[in-house]
Structures are given as structure tokens and as C-alpha cells.
Amino acid sequence: MTTLAILTAAGSGTRLGRDVPKALVDLGGSPLVLHAARCLAASGVVDRIVVTAPAGLAGAVSDVVAADAHVACPVRVVDGGPTRQASVAAGLALAGPEDDVVLVHDAARPLAPPELVRRVVAAVRAGHPAVVPGLPVTDTIKRVSPAAATRASAARPDPGPVVERVVDTPDRALLRAVQTPQGFDRALLQRAHAAGAARAAQEDVAATDDAGLVEALGEEVHVVAGEESALKITTERDLALARVLLEGRR
Ligand code: CTP
Ligand code: MG
């Protein structure tokens, strides 16, 4: 009965726009992937970590994470794939029958607190085979038509700005913005990735989270309370906010 954590770090960080992959970008003296690995290790409920590395950087990622004194559990580094889904699948290939719980966590969420990891694992071990952390949303969310954005009329002298047609407004009280780590019964996650394998090669159809693959099987997914500090680093603005949060912790 062990818990394996897959730490996804193989993305390029296009939207951050740095000259190194996002997981290796510095935050307060350590790369994002190291912060995330320390969080997993500090939870006390993770037995092993498999990190997915960008192409050609497995050695560099291993030097950073496996050598760190704060990451006390065994770490293996594998090459990631072309999409996040493919990277998780590559990590999952290293799960064994002894791993009854598998966590999937993003290096892009470096400040997720250890108690969040414990909460997710506790919910899985309490009998929920697929668990995601989630926060209530504060914005009103609109669903828009998938058809291409349009202008009012090309015939008018000034067609105005590009617009999208609103389809509906889901009840905000029923929405959650989900985070990682997400936790799963290992066999269920393997089944979900096997069933969704055809989507893994292409970014436009690949799953953006693992719970989505479980939902596609028709299996239940449950939400536990998320944490503001588990924010995802996508842009420079997120990184600036993370620096402020880290300063506050220190
Ligand atoms: N990831 C991965 N393998 C990929 C793509 C993404 O392991 N082929 C990981 C990223 O390293 C990140 C997490 O999945 O920890 C979430 O992805 P995202 O925030 O989209 O990161 P990037 O893909 O690196 O960023 P961008 O989309 O801006 O290029
Ligand atoms: Mg991405």
C-alpha cells in the first residue's frame, strides 16, 4: 500500500515565454519543479516521485530534484511526451502493483501546501477513487459557442470588435476551479489513460487533467477543498504573485 506521485514538468512554458522550460524557472532561489517535489515529500504521505522531464533535460531535472536534501523519498525522472496527458501516461508506466494510490501534480503549482496533498490522499484512502481539489469561482462564467469568433457584419463600414456568442451561464455556485494534486486509485487511473490513449498525441484533443479521463469512463470524481496558494503559474503575473506568497511564508 504505497502512494506514487507523478510530477509533471515536461511542458515548455510557451505562455511564460522564458528561454528555459517553465518547471526550471526560478522562484525565490529554487526552480518550480523543486518547490513542487518538496511539497509532495513534506506531506509525509508520498512514497515515491516520478518526474516527467522536457526532452533532453532528464539529467538536469534529476540533478535538481533527486539530489535535494528536502526530497527524502526516491525520485525517478522520465522523458515526458508531447502533451500533458502523454507525460502523465509516461509516468504512470512506472507505477507498480504496490502503488494503490497515484497522485498527479503539476510543477506549475509550486506552492501547493503539504496539507492539500494529505487531504487528497485521505479522500482517496477513505474510498473515493478519483479526487480533485477545487475552489469556488468568483467570476461569473459564460459558455460560448465553439464556432469561430465573428464580427457584426463585414458589410458595415465598421464591423466592430470580434465577438463570441454566449450559449449559457452555468450557476456559479455549482462551479469549481480545479487544481492539482489530483488523486486516484491506481487501477482506475490506468484504465482511464488506456481508454483515452488515442487523445494523448495532440494538444487540441488531449485531456488537460486526469479527472477528465476518469469522467470520460463514466466513473465518479469527487472534489475536496482546494487552496489559493496552489495557484498555477502560467504567466509572469502568476510568477510575481507566487513570489509575494513565498515571501509571506518566509
Ligand atoms: N506538462 C508536461 N508535459 C507536456 C506539457 C505539460 O509534463 N507535454 C506539464 C507542465 O510541465 C506543467 C503541467 O503539465 O507542470 C501543466 O501544463 P501547463 O501549465 O500548460 O505548462 P506548459 O505546457 O509548460 O505551459 P504552456 O502551455 O504555456 O506551454
Ligand atoms: Mg501547456
Side-chain angles (χ1 to χ4, degrees):
M1 294 245 298
T2 59
T3 298
L4 170 73
I6 298 168
L7 178 54
T8 67
S12 53
T14 317
R15 289 167 289 181
L16 197 56
R18 298 289 190 92
D19 51 11
V20 290
K22 182 161 70 180
L24 294 174
V25 166
D26 179 82
L27 170 63
S30 301
L32 300 188
V33 65
L34 181 54
H35 284 280
R38 284 176 176 172
C39 146
L40 291 167
S43 72
V45 296
V46 169
D47 298 283
R48 290 194 297 138
I49 300 175
V50 175
V51 188
T52 71
L57 290 174
V61 169
S62 183
D63 288 347
V64 162
V65 179
D68 186 75
H70 298 284
V71 183
C73 59
V75 176
R76 287 186 63 181
V77 181
V78 295
D79 287 334
T83 63
R84 182 186 182 282
Q85 183 186 333
S87 293
V88 174
L92 194 53
L94 269 62
E98 70 282 8
D99 302 309
D100 54 338
V101 175
V102 174
L103 289 176
V104 185
H105 185 43
D106 290 340
R109 296 185 188 272
L111 300 183
E115 53 269 33
L116 182 62
V117 183
R118 288 193 288 270
R119 190 179 306 148
V120 170
V121 171
V124 178
R125 294 211 175 276
H128 302 295
V131 174
V132 302
L135 290 174
V137 299
T138 52
D139 289 319
T140 294
I141 308 283
K142 303 278 184 197
R143 205 155 61 88
V144 297
S145 162
T150 56
R151 290 179 194 271
S153 162
R156 294 190 192 181
D158 175 7
V162 171
V163 296
E164 296 174 302
R165 189 174 63 79
V166 170
V167 174
D168 60 16
T169 307
D171 178 1
R172 191 171 63 185
L174 299 179
L175 297 177
R176 299 290 178 267
V178 305
Q179 306 177 317
T180 70
Q182 301 189 347
F184 304 92
D185 169 80
R186 191 247 319 140
L188 175 62
L189 187 62
Q190 285 175 326
R191 196 153 60 83
H193 270 268
R199 300 166 58 185
Q202 265 177 278
E203 189 69 38
D204 56 339
V205 291
T208 53
D209 80 341
D210 300 279
L213 292 172
V214 172
E215 290 158 45
L217 282 182
E219 299 289 344
E220 283 190 359
V221 174
H222 289 88
V223 179
V224 294
E227 294 287 341
E228 297 278 4
S229 60
L231 85 161
K232 184 166 147 199
I233 310 293
T234 305
T235 63
E236 286 292 343
R237 183 181 169 280
D238 303 322
L239 202 53
L241 178 55
R243 269 187 230 111
V244 172
L245 286 173
L246 189 61
E247 273 307 307
R249 271 186 201 178
R250 284 170 175 173

